[in-house]
């Protein structure tokens, strides 16, 4: 118990200073290969749907997606191979220390960097990304409101597209998505940037204000990951859930771009581990 407390304290210290930490072996080594294959398979099976959604958003003049990067929203509707690890106590302990009880999952996507994919632009995640229709207006208060996690189903290296981050950027009241930070080139390398690295099965946990960018995969194998975000009960997620009145009013009726999450299918929800169900209870399809 003392070791657990000390480990959490160390992660919170890293989180406060840098805006992120990496937790290793969340997905055990003996199952991570199978999970990676299952996630990559369902993404490939539904790639045409994802491309159609991106094309529709681009047609409205929004900058989304990167050439050579495959994705699939709400991947848990298609495979639940990773579900037993979503409530890992190391992740939940960190989230509960920051948010209190009743933490929820607000995003369960997969993302695959294929060989030679384009580098992305510096941004922060919802609700801080100012290109979104629903957003917290800048300047931001200095408080953590959302956690972004990247689950490394492949080993992350500087060569294969380990996500680029700027340590300490979570304390900024702005981010490059605002568009009026003249001193920042959103598409250029930043002097203090670094690549997030770690063995397969590791999870990168960040304050969603942290500036980050898609990195180029310079190897001959795809880099497979999942993007899973954790939110407190008091953060209104309805603008991100397709079909809610807030999403219709703020996104559909304005023709805006937004992070969008499909509801969880009831049969998928019922099959989830009992400690994971509370994380998705808010977005089960009716």
């Amino acid at each position: 118990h003392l070791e657990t407390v000390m480990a959490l304290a160390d992660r919170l210290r890293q989180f406060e200073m840098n805006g992120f930490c990496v937790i290793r072996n969340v997905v055990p080594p003996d199952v991570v290969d199978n999970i990676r294959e299952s996630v990559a398979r369902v993404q490939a099976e539904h790639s045409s749907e994802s491309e159609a959604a991106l094309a529709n958003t681009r047609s409205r003049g929004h900058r989304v997606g990167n050439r050579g990067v495959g994705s699939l929203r709400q991947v848990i509707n298609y495979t639940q191979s990773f579900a037993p690890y979503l409530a890992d106590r190391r992740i939940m302990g960190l989230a509960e220390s920051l948010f209190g009880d009743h933490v929820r999952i607000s995003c369960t996507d997969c993302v695959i960097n294929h060989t030679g994919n384009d580098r992305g632009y510096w941004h922060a995640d919802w609700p801080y990304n100012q290109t979104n229709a629903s957003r917290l207006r800048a300047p931001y208060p200095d408080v953590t409101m959302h956690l972004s996690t990247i689950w490394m189903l492949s080993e992350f290296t500087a060569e294969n597209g380990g996500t680029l981050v700027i340590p300490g950027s979570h304390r900024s009241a702005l981010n490059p998505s605002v568009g009026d930070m003249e001193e920042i080139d959103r598409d250029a390398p930043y002097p203090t940037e670094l690549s997030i690295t770690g063995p397969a099965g590791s999870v990168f946990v960040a304050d969603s204000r942290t500036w980050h960018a898609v990195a180029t995969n310079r190897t001959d194998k795809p880099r497979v990951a999942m993007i899973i975000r954790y939110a407190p009960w008091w953060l209104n997620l309805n603008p991100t859930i397709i079909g809610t009145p807030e999403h219709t009013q703020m996104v559909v009726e304005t023709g805006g771009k937004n992070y969008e999450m499909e509801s969880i299918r009831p049969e998928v929800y019922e099959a989830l581990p009992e400690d994971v169900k509370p994380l998705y209870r808010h977005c089960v399809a009716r």
Side-chain angles (χ1 to χ4, degrees):
H1 176 71
L2 180 59
E3 289 182 358
T4 301
V5 172
M6 291 177 65
L8 176 59
D10 184 54
R11 292 187 191 105
L12 285 168
R13 190 176 304 110
Q14 293 178 43
F15 199 86
E16 180 180 4
M17 294 175 60
N18 297 321
F20 59 84
C21 64
V22 174
I23 304 175
R24 296 193 171 205
N25 296 319
V26 174
V27 180
D30 59 336
V31 299
V32 71
D33 289 349
N34 288 337
I35 292 175
R36 179 177 65 250
E37 291 170 5
S38 72
V39 168
R41 182 180 66 254
V42 297
Q43 192 281 325
E45 291 171 352
H46 297 274
S47 60
S48 59
E49 300 171 21
S50 298
E51 285 301 316
L54 284 174
N56 181 55
T57 304
R58 291 192 188 101
S59 71
R60 303 198 298 269
H62 297 295
R63 179 177 181 177
V64 295
N66 290 79
R67 184 188 63 83
V69 177
S71 64
L72 180 62
R73 296 283 171 91
Q74 206 64 293
V75 66
I76 198 167
N77 270 335
Y78 307 97
T79 176
Q80 298 79 51
S81 58
F82 54 85
Y85 311 102
L86 294 174
D88 182 277
R89 282 312 309 167
R90 290 164 291 179
I91 296 173
M92 295 302 296
L94 184 60
E96 290 165 359
S97 294
L98 295 165
F99 299 147
D101 295 335
H102 308 296
V103 173
R104 303 179 292 173
I105 284 179
S106 60
C107 160
T108 315
D109 298 349
C110 74
V111 60
I112 301 177
N113 288 20
H114 295 286
T115 300
N117 67 284
D118 287 345
R119 175 180 169 128
Y121 74 103
W122 292 114
H123 67 284
D125 285 337
W126 188 90
Y128 304 104
N129 191 323
Q130 296 298 292
T131 67
N132 286 336
S134 69
R135 62 187 181 273
L136 182 66
R137 290 192 178 184
Y140 317 120
D142 187 12
V143 60
T144 303
M145 298 186 187
H146 204 200
L147 291 181
S148 299
T149 73
I150 301 177
W151 293 55
M152 307 177 197
L153 300 184
S154 302
E155 179 185 13
F156 268 39
T157 69
E159 290 73 33
N160 77 350
T163 302
L164 299 166
V165 299
I166 301 177
S169 56
H170 66 302
R171 308 311 289 265
S172 173
L174 302 172
N175 70 68
S177 72
V178 174
D180 58 0
M181 298 185 71
E182 296 180 357
E183 72 280 14
I184 302 294
D185 183 343
R186 292 194 294 178
D187 297 296
Y190 193 79
T192 60
E193 73 177 43
L194 56 81
S195 295
I196 295 302
T197 61
S202 302
V203 176
F204 166 75
V205 185
D207 187 312
S208 293
R209 294 175 292 172
T210 303
W211 300 10
H212 59 285
V214 172
T216 301
N217 180 358
R218 299 188 297 274
T219 70
D220 59 0
K221 294 182 179 180
R223 190 227 67 184
V224 183
M226 293 188 301
I227 308 298
I228 300 173
R229 300 186 187 126
Y230 293 78
W233 62 267
W234 42 261
L235 183 63
N236 183 13
L237 302 178
N238 286 347
T240 71
I241 302 175
I242 297 171
T244 64
E246 289 99 323
H247 179 268
T248 299
Q249 180 180 19
M250 300 174 71
V251 182
V252 177
E253 293 177 359
T254 64
K257 165 208 163 187
N258 212 57
Y259 174 74
E260 295 177 316
M261 177 172 65
E262 298 176 359
S263 296
I264 297 290
R265 295 200 298 265
E267 64 273 19
V268 171
Y269 176 78
E270 290 302 327
L272 293 176
E274 290 303 314
D275 60 345
V276 173
K277 284 183 178 179
L279 302 175
Y280 287 101
R281 186 175 178 179
H282 64 288
C283 63
V284 181
R286 304 301 177 193

